[in-house]
Structure formats: structure tokens, C-alpha cells
Amino acid sequence: MPDLVTSRKKISLLVAQLNAIGSRPSNEDSLAVGDQDDLACFVISDGTGGHAAGEVASRLVAQEVIDRFMLEASFGTRALRSYIDSASAKVALNKRLHREQQDMSATVAALLIDQKNSRCVWGHMGDTRLYLFRNHKISAMTKDHSLAQRFIEAGFGTQVELRMHPQRSMLFAAIGADGGIQPDITVSPVELHPGDAFLICSDGFWEWVREPEMELCLADAGSVQDWLDAMNSLAELHVQAANKLRDNFSAIALWVGEPVKSDNE
């Protein structure tokens, strides 16, 4: 009788990515992707700090998460926390070495997937978000570490109103920021099903696409690239209607497919 564990086929992942400068003079968004040993890691970071420090911070965070993952590929909440902690240490070291970058910090949202066992964990700090869609509806989403989010949770407004809140961009947690707040990590692994979808995105993306629109675009999309393109097209229309400049924006869209055969089967 074949071993039920070793004969399990890993799930397939279909991915589309977007990273753009928007109307800003520089791009402080970074994204990175890695895969190894039937594991996959996806991360987006949005930096702050001025004097190009935001670009440095986001690049350090995104690259360090993936570098640590590739060096010590493992799955679980502890593994993901260690990758984010390593990125935090990297930013702290860079701040000590470069006095002109003392004010830099960066958000992060990272997703770790075990393709062999169809499960995932995720973590975040700041207002870069992760959404999980199931049956074309949002099943889970991260909560921003922002003052506006706290106001919403206290009953002073709705999630939709958060996008236009005057203090929406005021964060109380980010990598490199003071306060000692730890990243939010999923308590335990989440089981994945064929048809599930993820969207990881910086605020320059989600602030211009509302959640019902994300769901409608997903239901109508013929591919993961179509889904991402449709959402971004809506975002551009909303930016034009508001007559505003668009911030840097980044997104990783991901579809979970059926199990696939391994090379040695």
C-alpha cells in the first residue's frame, strides 16, 4: 500500500505581480517571491522615511524575508515570524550604520504556503494588506496597524470610510518604528482549497479598489492576470475620478489550483 503522505501531490499556484511608481518621484514599494522544497513565500513591503530611506527600508525587508526563507526553508508560524524578525534586525542594523536613515521604517505582508500539504500562514505589520478569497468572497483579511483602523474598531466609522480618513496613513506599527509591537501572525496554519485566491497589496493599490469590487473582478476573471489587471484598471478609473495623484502601488495576486504531479511521478 502506498504511503498516504509521500504520495500526496502538491497544489499548483498561479501568480501575477504588479509594482509601479504611480505619480511619485520614487518607488518605495518592494515585492519579492521565493519557492523551495514545495514551499513558497510571497512578500510586499512599503517604506517610509524620506531621503530615499523608504526605498531602502522596503527593499531590505522584502529581500531579507525571502533570503532567510531560501536559506532556512521551513513552514509554520514560528518560521514566518523568524523571517520577519530577521528583516526587522536588518533594518535596525542599517539605521545604526546610516544616520541619515534614522527615520526609515517599512510595512510588510508575507504569505508562506506549504504546497505539499495545502496549507498556509501569513503575517503583517502596518497597512500593507493580505486578503484570502474563498468561493469568490473575502474569507479573511488583515487589519491595518493604523490610527484610522482603531477608530473604525471603536465604532467611529466603517471600513469603507477608512480609505478617506484623514489619519489613514498614520501607523502605530511597522518594521523599524519605535513601540516594540510585534507582527500579527496567523495563530495556526490555514487549510487551502482549489479555487482559493490571495491578494497581497500596498495601500496605493487597495485604497482605490473596494472589497466588493475585488470580489466581482475575481468572479469575472478568466485568469489570475486578468483579475489583477481588472482591479488595477478600476483603481486607475477611481484615481482619475477623484482627480488625485496615485501613490506607489504593488500587488501579488495568487490562485490556488488543483494538485499537480511531481517530476518523479
Side-chain angles (χ1 to χ4, degrees), residues 83-107:
Y83 303 151
I84 296 176
D85 285 348
S86 183
S88 182
K90 191 85 169 185
V91 170
L93 174 61
N94 201 78
K95 291 175 72 169
R96 289 197 298 270
L97 295 176
H98 303 278
R99 296 186 62 184
E100 73 278 10
Q101 297 174 354
Q102 290 300 301
D103 295 331
M104 78 176 185
S105 63
T107 68

Tab-separated table of all heavy atoms in Angstrom, residues 83-107:
chain	number	residue	atom	x	y	z
A	83	TYR	N	11.433	34.889	9.871
A	83	TYR	CA	11.798	35.605	8.652
A	83	TYR	C	11.540	37.108	8.817
A	83	TYR	O	12.368	37.945	8.420
A	83	TYR	CB	11.011	35.080	7.450
A	83	TYR	CG	11.157	33.603	7.187
A	83	TYR	CD1	10.129	32.872	6.591
A	83	TYR	CD2	12.316	32.907	7.543
A	83	TYR	CE1	10.258	31.519	6.344
A	83	TYR	CE2	12.446	31.549	7.306
A	83	TYR	CZ	11.403	30.854	6.708
A	83	TYR	OH	11.530	29.504	6.473
A	84	ILE	N	10.396	37.454	9.403
A	84	ILE	CA	10.064	38.861	9.613
A	84	ILE	C	10.974	39.475	10.674
A	84	ILE	O	11.422	40.626	10.539
A	84	ILE	CB	8.579	39.018	9.988
A	84	ILE	CG1	7.692	38.555	8.819
A	84	ILE	CG2	8.262	40.467	10.348
A	84	ILE	CD1	6.197	38.588	9.116
A	85	ASP	N	11.286	38.715	11.721
A	85	ASP	CA	12.216	39.204	12.753
A	85	ASP	C	13.590	39.474	12.163
A	85	ASP	O	14.271	40.439	12.537
A	85	ASP	CB	12.335	38.181	13.886
A	85	ASP	CG	11.115	38.157	14.787
A	85	ASP	OD1	10.280	39.079	14.686
A	85	ASP	OD2	10.990	37.213	15.589
A	86	SER	N	14.022	38.633	11.233
A	86	SER	CA	15.311	38.832	10.583
A	86	SER	C	15.306	40.119	9.761
A	86	SER	O	16.291	40.864	9.739
A	86	SER	CB	15.643	37.633	9.686
A	86	SER	OG	16.908	37.762	9.102
A	87	ALA	N	14.180	40.397	9.101
A	87	ALA	CA	14.058	41.643	8.344
A	87	ALA	C	14.105	42.847	9.274
A	87	ALA	O	14.719	43.877	8.954
A	87	ALA	CB	12.756	41.643	7.543
A	88	SER	N	13.472	42.724	10.432
A	88	SER	CA	13.491	43.805	11.412
A	88	SER	C	14.914	44.076	11.899
A	88	SER	O	15.331	45.241	12.033
A	88	SER	CB	12.587	43.451	12.599
A	88	SER	OG	12.552	44.496	13.535
A	89	ALA	N	15.669	43.018	12.152
A	89	ALA	CA	17.055	43.164	12.593
A	89	ALA	C	17.903	43.808	11.492
A	89	ALA	O	18.800	44.617	11.771
A	89	ALA	CB	17.627	41.802	12.979
A	90	LYS	N	17.609	43.470	10.244
A	90	LYS	CA	18.349	44.037	9.118
A	90	LYS	C	18.123	45.543	9.023
A	90	LYS	O	19.067	46.319	8.816
A	90	LYS	CB	17.893	43.359	7.824
A	90	LYS	CG	18.753	43.661	6.609
A	90	LYS	CD	19.936	42.739	6.550
A	90	LYS	CE	20.651	42.826	5.224
A	90	LYS	NZ	21.749	41.843	5.115
A	91	VAL	N	16.881	45.965	9.183
A	91	VAL	CA	16.563	47.390	9.137
A	91	VAL	C	17.208	48.116	10.309
A	91	VAL	O	17.762	49.214	10.156
A	91	VAL	CB	15.036	47.606	9.131
A	91	VAL	CG1	14.693	49.073	9.333
A	91	VAL	CG2	14.439	47.111	7.819
A	92	ALA	N	17.152	47.523	11.498
A	92	ALA	CA	17.754	48.141	12.686
A	92	ALA	C	19.257	48.337	12.500
A	92	ALA	O	19.816	49.378	12.863
A	92	ALA	CB	17.476	47.284	13.918
A	93	LEU	N	19.922	47.337	11.933
A	93	LEU	CA	21.354	47.442	11.681
A	93	LEU	C	21.647	48.548	10.691
A	93	LEU	O	22.577	49.344	10.878
A	93	LEU	CB	21.891	46.107	11.156
A	93	LEU	CG	23.363	46.101	10.711
A	93	LEU	CD1	24.275	46.452	11.887
A	93	LEU	CD2	23.738	44.741	10.124
A	94	ASN	N	20.860	48.639	9.635
A	94	ASN	CA	21.079	49.662	8.619
A	94	ASN	C	20.884	51.062	9.204
A	94	ASN	O	21.608	52.001	8.851
A	94	ASN	CB	20.124	49.443	7.446
A	94	ASN	CG	20.595	50.115	6.173
A	94	ASN	OD1	21.474	49.621	5.487
A	94	ASN	ND2	20.009	51.265	5.863
A	95	LYS	N	19.946	51.210	10.114
A	95	LYS	CA	19.711	52.504	10.756
A	95	LYS	C	20.898	52.906	11.632
A	95	LYS	O	21.248	54.086	11.705
A	95	LYS	CB	18.420	52.455	11.572
A	95	LYS	CG	17.172	52.357	10.714
A	95	LYS	CD	15.918	52.184	11.550
A	95	LYS	CE	15.563	53.457	12.271
A	95	LYS	NZ	14.209	53.397	12.878
A	96	ARG	N	21.522	51.928	12.268
A	96	ARG	CA	22.705	52.241	13.083
A	96	ARG	C	23.895	52.640	12.228
A	96	ARG	O	24.704	53.485	12.622
A	96	ARG	CB	23.064	51.025	13.954
A	96	ARG	CG	22.094	50.747	15.077
A	96	ARG	CD	22.699	49.826	16.116
A	96	ARG	NE	23.034	48.519	15.578
A	96	ARG	CZ	22.198	47.483	15.559
A	96	ARG	NH1	20.959	47.632	16.044
A	96	ARG	NH2	22.573	46.326	15.067
A	97	LEU	N	23.998	52.052	11.055
A	97	LEU	CA	25.137	52.313	10.183
A	97	LEU	C	24.984	53.596	9.364
A	97	LEU	O	25.979	54.158	8.911
A	97	LEU	CB	25.351	51.129	9.229
A	97	LEU	CG	25.740	49.799	9.891
A	97	LEU	CD1	25.812	48.699	8.843
A	97	LEU	CD2	27.068	49.931	10.626
A	98	HIS	N	23.736	54.037	9.160
A	98	HIS	CA	23.490	55.195	8.307
A	98	HIS	C	22.600	56.187	9.054
A	98	HIS	O	21.378	56.050	9.066
A	98	HIS	CB	22.828	54.767	6.989
A	98	HIS	CG	23.624	53.757	6.223
A	98	HIS	ND1	24.682	54.094	5.414
A	98	HIS	CD2	23.522	52.403	6.161
A	98	HIS	CE1	25.195	53.000	4.866
A	98	HIS	NE2	24.516	51.957	5.314
A	99	ARG	N	23.201	57.182	9.640
A	99	ARG	CA	22.477	58.137	10.474
A	99	ARG	C	21.414	58.900	9.691
A	99	ARG	O	20.388	59.298	10.247
A	99	ARG	CB	23.450	59.121	11.114
A	99	ARG	CG	24.439	58.468	12.078
A	99	ARG	CD	25.282	59.506	12.797
A	99	ARG	NE	24.451	60.398	13.608
A	99	ARG	CZ	24.933	61.440	14.286
A	99	ARG	NH1	26.231	61.726	14.213
A	99	ARG	NH2	24.134	62.207	14.999
A	100	GLU	N	21.649	59.088	8.401
A	100	GLU	CA	20.687	59.830	7.594
A	100	GLU	C	19.399	59.035	7.351
A	100	GLU	O	18.418	59.577	6.840
A	100	GLU	CB	21.315	60.234	6.253
A	100	GLU	CG	21.514	59.106	5.254
A	100	GLU	CD	22.789	58.287	5.501
A	100	GLU	OE1	23.420	58.494	6.563
A	100	GLU	OE2	23.125	57.462	4.635
A	101	GLN	N	19.406	57.772	7.739
A	101	GLN	CA	18.228	56.926	7.533
A	101	GLN	C	17.567	56.538	8.862
A	101	GLN	O	16.849	55.545	8.938
A	101	GLN	CB	18.624	55.675	6.752
A	101	GLN	CG	19.139	55.996	5.351
A	101	GLN	CD	19.667	54.784	4.612
A	101	GLN	OE1	19.759	53.692	5.156
A	101	GLN	NE2	20.019	54.979	3.345
A	102	GLN	N	17.768	57.350	9.888
A	102	GLN	CA	17.236	57.036	11.212
A	102	GLN	C	15.711	56.968	11.256
A	102	GLN	O	15.147	56.284	12.100
A	102	GLN	CB	17.724	58.077	12.226
A	102	GLN	CG	19.205	57.984	12.550
A	102	GLN	CD	19.583	56.635	13.137
A	102	GLN	OE1	19.068	56.238	14.172
A	102	GLN	NE2	20.454	55.919	12.463
A	103	ASP	N	15.061	57.685	10.354
A	103	ASP	CA	13.593	57.753	10.395
A	103	ASP	C	12.909	56.701	9.526
A	103	ASP	O	11.685	56.680	9.441
A	103	ASP	CB	13.126	59.143	9.952
A	103	ASP	CG	13.556	60.230	10.910
A	103	ASP	OD1	13.697	59.935	12.115
A	103	ASP	OD2	13.763	61.378	10.457
A	104	MET	N	13.673	55.849	8.902
A	104	MET	CA	13.044	54.920	7.966
A	104	MET	C	12.343	53.767	8.684
A	104	MET	O	12.731	53.326	9.760
A	104	MET	CB	14.065	54.369	6.972
A	104	MET	CG	14.963	53.281	7.500
A	104	MET	SD	16.036	52.656	6.167
A	104	MET	CE	16.864	51.319	7.002
A	105	SER	N	11.276	53.315	8.069
A	105	SER	CA	10.545	52.134	8.530
A	105	SER	C	9.823	51.553	7.325
A	105	SER	O	9.841	52.144	6.231
A	105	SER	CB	9.549	52.484	9.641
A	105	SER	OG	8.557	53.373	9.154
A	106	ALA	N	9.189	50.418	7.493
A	106	ALA	CA	8.501	49.791	6.364
A	106	ALA	C	7.396	48.869	6.861
A	106	ALA	O	7.525	48.221	7.900
A	106	ALA	CB	9.481	48.994	5.501
A	107	THR	N	6.323	48.833	6.120
A	107	THR	CA	5.271	47.852	6.364
A	107	THR	C	5.707	46.510	5.786
A	107	THR	O	6.689	46.430	5.021
A	107	THR	CB	3.953	48.270	5.694
A	107	THR	OG1	4.125	48.207	4.258
A	107	THR	CG2	3.562	49.684	6.091
